[in-house]
Structures are given as structure tokens and as C-alpha cells.
Amino acid sequence: MEFLLLHLFLVSSACLCVVTSGQNTSVSSLPTSVNIGVLFTLNSSIGRSSRIAVDAAVADVNADKSILTHTKLNMVLEDTNCSGFLGTVEALQLMGKDVVAMIGPQSSVIAHVISHVVNELHIPLVSFAATDPTLSSLQYPYFLRTTQSDLYQMNAIADVIEHYGWKQIIAIFVDNDYGRNGVAALGDALAKKRSTISFKAALRPGAGSDEIKDLLANVNRMESRVYVLHVNPDSGLNIFSNAYYLHMMENGYVWITTDWLTTNLDSSSLSNPDTHSLIQGVVSLRQYTPGSSAKRRFMSRWSDLLRNEKADTGLTSYALYAYDTVWLVARAIDEYLHSGGSVSFANDPRIKNVNGSTLNVSSLKIFNGGPKLRDILLKMNFSGLTGPFQFNAERSLIHPAFEIINIGGTGSRRVGFWSNYSGLSVVTPEILYQKPLNISTSGQQLYSVVWPGQTTDTPRGWVFPNNGKPLRIGIPNRMSYTDFVSVKGSGKPEGFCIDVFDAAVNLLPYAVPHTFIPFGNGIKNPSYDELVRKVALDDFDAAVGDISIVTNRTRIVDFTQPFVESGLLIVAPVRKRSSSAWAFLKPFTLEMWFVTGTFFLIVGAVIWILEHRINTEFRGPPSKQLVTIF
């Protein structure tokens, strides 16, 4: 393989340079070589492609005369063998070989352990594949992530779930730091969208088919049909194989995976029809890297390797990040050396070999220039194969973005993008970065998705669970107004309200298991306030009957629209009375009529007095003047 040109060897102590007092370092004071450690899981989807990319990057760095002039970059490689224990041991051995920085590991589990070690030895740990969000905590100041954190990936999945209107999902994950912390981030992201994880299904690392079948059979009995799968790339397809066997890849199911699935598919140099038949309709994420001439040239080189059978794996996004990570470390070391830094180590007085132990822990030494090199790494800013390479305040790369991929047929197609700047979109993120921010719901767009079962109709996302209990419907068992609801001797409820409820249930496109529970003894009418209160207390799931909608009840339960309207009424007692010609006098009492007549005469007299002197109409015989008063 033309990329694998570097032989691994250790640098003797005579190669270490001495710190100079000035900022400009002379050629004679520069070391002839510098060691960087690389920690891979070689027998993995990510490891196989990333190994080729790292070899290529080291070769390109050493061939470039503009960087690390007069200094050769040496790669010291260790294989973790897909084991947390062996990976930790290999990492300790690697740090005992005078490395100034470490690239890797792939595993978030191993990264957690050795982050404590690099904190003490001041060796920057730069990982292109450990995506656990908690690694960015202040607890690990020497850990730098050169890939996208699962924090952003879970926010992307939460936006997809919100886009389709699902409220509850089931998370299936590998039960380790990578899986648990990723799902915790998903739960936080969903909470912001008013959605929840209804069940967390944890899988033991390395679980066999029987365990997977039992877990899938368990979640299949639950209500939600939206599954988010967050596992390792090399074991995830086994889950889909068992899901296919259990008929869980059919119409009505939704499967969303993190980027492990696209990584697995991209690493396969040839498309496998058997694999694609298992994952039809699955929606997955892939880390988005913008197109560039450098990226196209590198992809062409990779194609040449595949064509010449010098590579047996496809190009993954992690391989691109691994290539840029080597260049990041090389640029930082170059700046560190030319700013007067030296490659020197000091013994830690707290570390000493235990008598009789074969562990050579005294070989672990503190890198004196570690803090300075870490600060230089955090300030680096250049354009790589993956786009702008720059760290944010959380020591992760800026501009996190993902592609939304839909698996179908013998391949896959992109249905949109996600970025933390603009959310879901069918436009590439780099174009949206140049436009004003728009995160409105109407601005969130995706192309149509072909779901499991070869349908483009968005699945409802839930069913009534097979192991669920039927709805408990409370009905008033009363002695009067039995036309509305009554319970006969057979115990079967009847009445107009029951008929309306049954008709509404029959209109639904799915079954609603329910059982009617009488409330009351049938001898006297029960308290409707108490019936409503039992619904609020969850003794009943609902109540059906001639229940009036009044203010106090609406404060504790929700009512349907009324299906019997009486309109506005005035309630008054009905009394039978005899009628007569003088019935018009009944609105007022005798006293009221006397007062009314008296005022009538007084007003007439006052008018006569005022008009008599000046108005001829009020003069004449006394009988005429008396008439004018009335």
C-alpha cells in the first residue's frame, strides 16, 4: 500500500531537543523526529478506513516541505483489539514511548479511562471518533474532539422526530458510556421538543442473537413504533437482522439510527443486496463534510487504491476526520517547535514501580510542553478535507452538520441536512451560514422519505400495546333518565350516550380496547362531581354519560364537544292559575297602583297651574279645565 510508507520506531533520548530562550528556533535546535501515538481498533469499520487515511496523512506531512521542516513525524501505532481493557493497556504503553500527542482512541469507553492519564501526563488526546458528549466536560481538559459530538447528532434526531410529529420513541442502545450518554443527550433534546423516550432498551456489549431477539420482542409489545438505534457500527446490522425476522421492518414501524449505519455502509467497498434488504426504509445520519477540490482529489486517490486492490474498505467520514486530525497535530507541533518549544519529558515522583510487578509504570513521563501544545491545538484554524477546522469553547469542531439519509433499494438517498445553525433543510449548510437565521417550523424541510413497507405516508408512530390494559370507561349507574345511559341486568350498558361513544370509536382507523365500569348502585343517582373527580384521580381513564359541562368540572378534566344541546333556558316553577279581565292589574300591587294614580294627578295639576295663565286651551268652564289635567 502506497500510504503505508512509514516504519514505526522509537525516538532515542538523544533526539530530544533543548528549550531555547528565543522565539525563533534555529535549525540545529529542532528535533530530527517527533513521535505521535495513534490508537486504533484495526479490525473495525472505522479502524480499517481510518488507518489508511492516517498513513496517507503522515506521508503527506513528511513530504510537505512547508511544515515540520527538518523534523520527521513518526507514528507509533497500537491496536485496542475491540477491548476496553486491552485498549487501556495499549494506551498506557503508548504513552510510555515519548509521544507528544495521541490520536484516538475510537472508543468513548477507552477515551474516558485514558483521559484521566493524559490529564496527569499533559499529553493532548485528539480523537476523531469518540463521540460521547460527556468527554467535552471540564473534567478532561486534554481531550480534544475532531469529529462531531453526539450532542449535536441527538439534536438532529430530535428535530427529525419533531418534524414528523411523534411524541414518544423507544431508544435501543449499547449499554456503555458511548450508548448511555448518547441516549441521555437524546432525552434532553427531546424534552425541549415536548417529546419523551418512553422506554430505554439497553443491550449488553457483544450481545448475541438470542438476547437481541428477547429485547426486540419486548419493545414490540409496547405502544411506540418509533425506534432510535444507537449502537456500534460492527454489531448494529445484527439487530436489523433480528428485527427483520420478527417482522419489525414492515409498514407502521419507524427506524432512525445514528451515524453508525452509514459508516458501516460507506466502509463496504461493494454494495451488499442482502444487507440492504434488511434495512429498507431506515433513516440514518451521516456527518456532513462540504465539497472541495482537496476532498475530491483525496477521494480520487482512494478510488485508485480500491482499483489497485491496495485498500479493502470504502472511504468513511471518520477517515476524512482522521486525515485532518494528523494535519492538525502536525501544524500544532510545527508552531510549537518554531515558538521555542522543546520535546522533553520529566519523571512524575508520584509514579513508581511496585516491587515484584512487571508493569513498567515508571516509563510514564510528563510532557513538559503539554499545556502549551494543547493551547496551540485549540487555536488552530485551517481548511481541511472536512471543511473549516477550528475548535469552539467546548473543544469540539465548529459548524456541526449532518446529512439525513434514507435507505432504499440497493442504495441510499439524501433527503436533507441538519446543522445547529438552521436545523433541518434541503439546502447545504454552508449556503445557509451566509443567510439570516431562520429556525421557524415552516422553514424546517425534508424531501419525502420511503418508510419500511415501501410507503411514503408518514407512519403514525404508535399502536395500542399488546401488553397494555384496556381503557377504563366510567358510566353513571342511575335510576332515572335511563334513556341516556343504563346498566341492564346482563351488565351491558345501553343508552344514547353509549351509542354515540361506540359510533365515535368505530370511526377510528385503529382498535381502542375498552371496558365500561358502572359508577353507582343503580338504586339512587350517583354524584356526577364524584364521577368527574375519579377521572381526574386516574381511577377512570374517561367517563361517558349525560354529564353537564360546568366550570368546576372543566378545571380538573377535559370535555368533548357536547353532542346534546339544550340552548339557553330559564327555569321557573309552573303554577296553574285562573285568568280574568282584570289580569292586567296583577303585575302591580294595589298600593303600587294607588301611588301611580296619585303621581298622575299631581303631575296634571302642576301642568294646569303653569299653563292656565298663558295658554287659552287651559281656560273655560271648570269641566273643560278638569279634562286638560288628564
Side-chain angles (χ1 to χ4, degrees), residues 614-625:
I614 58 176
N615 192 340
T616 57
E617 295 293 332
F618 287 85
R619 297 176 185 174
S623 59
K624 180 181 178 181
Q625 296 184 39

Side-chain angles (χ1 to χ4, degrees), residues 528-529 532 547-557 559:
Y528 276 49
D529 287 337
V532 171
I547 305 171
S548 300
I549 304 174
V550 296
T551 303
N552 289 340
R553 295 172 184 172
T554 59
R555 292 172 179 168
I556 58 176
V557 297
F559 283 87

Side-chain angles (χ1 to χ4, degrees), residues 3-8 54-55 58-59 62 72-75:
F3 287 168
L4 303 178
L5 301 176
L6 301 180
H7 297 285
L8 305 182
V54 168
D55 286 338
V58 172
N62 287 328
K72 185 179 181 180
L73 188 66
N74 285 333
M75 178 180 68

Side-chain angles (χ1 to χ4, degrees), residues 198-214:
S198 60
F199 184 73
K200 295 180 180 180
L203 269 174
R204 180 180 60 84
S209 292
D210 290 341
E211 292 181 63
I212 294 174
K213 285 181 181 177
D214 291 342

Side-chain angles (χ1 to χ4, degrees), residues 149-169:
S149 169
D150 280 340
L151 177 67
Y152 302 115
Q153 184 167 204
M154 297 306 176
N155 275 277
I157 291 177
D159 280 351
V160 171
I161 291 171
E162 181 190 34
H163 179 73
Y164 290 108
W166 300 312
K167 293 301 180 183
Q168 291 188 347
I169 64 104

Side-chain angles (χ1 to χ4, degrees), residues 439-457:
I439 56 174
S440 63
T441 304
S442 60
Q444 305 295 294
Q445 298 178 355
L446 290 176
Y447 292 122
S448 63
V449 172
V450 179
W451 303 100
Q454 299 299 311
T455 177
T456 56
D457 296 332

Side-chain angles (χ1 to χ4, degrees), residues 69-124:
T69 310
H70 308 291
T71 301
K72 185 179 181 180
L73 188 66
N74 285 333
M75 178 180 68
V76 183
L77 177 67
E78 293 289 352
D79 184 6
T80 64
N81 294 297
C82 296
S83 169
F85 170 71
L86 293 178
T88 303
V89 174
E90 296 291 349
L92 293 174
Q93 293 179 352
L94 197 60
M95 286 182 280
K97 296 178 180 179
D98 293 341
V99 295
V100 299
M102 287 183 58
I103 295 177
Q106 295 171 215
S107 168
S108 297
V109 176
I110 301 174
H112 272 284
V113 176
I114 64 177
S115 289
H116 294 284
V117 182
V118 298
N119 284 351
E120 299 296 326
L121 302 182
H122 299 170
I123 299 175

Side-chain angles (χ1 to χ4, degrees), residues 240-366:
F240 279 120
S241 176
N242 286 278
Y244 185 86
Y245 174 80
L246 295 173
H247 304 287
M248 296 176 65
M249 302 301 298
E250 299 176 352
N251 191 14
Y253 289 87
V254 177
W255 288 88
I256 302 174
T257 77
T258 49
D259 65 348
W260 67 264
L261 178 58
T262 53
T263 299
N264 187 296
L265 297 178
D266 292 342
S267 66
S268 301
S269 56
L270 298 175
S271 178
N272 188 341
D274 293 335
T275 298
H276 279 83
S277 65
L278 300 175
I279 54 178
Q280 294 293 302
V282 174
V283 173
S284 185
L285 270 61
R286 177 193 288 133
Q287 297 184 72
Y288 174 71
T289 56
S292 63
S293 57
K295 179 181 175 181
R296 286 189 291 271
R297 287 194 300 269
F298 188 79
M299 293 174 67
S300 177
R301 291 171 63 184
W302 200 284
S303 298
D304 291 340
L305 287 176
L306 291 174
R307 193 163 40 248
N308 297 326
E309 297 183 353
K310 294 182 178 180
D312 59 353
T313 181
L315 178 61
T316 67
S317 59
Y318 286 102
L320 296 176
Y321 281 110
Y323 182 90
D324 283 349
T325 300
V326 174
W327 274 95
L328 168 75
V329 173
R331 290 173 184 271
I333 293 174
D334 182 66
E335 183 174 332
Y336 169 78
L337 294 176
H338 284 86
S339 64
S342 68
V343 181
S344 60
F345 297 85
N347 292 321
D348 189 339
R350 296 172 298 175
I351 298 178
K352 58 182 179 179
N353 289 330
V354 181
N355 292 334
S357 174
T358 59
L359 295 176
N360 187 22
V361 294
S362 61
S363 63
L364 300 177
K365 297 179 181 179
I366 299 174

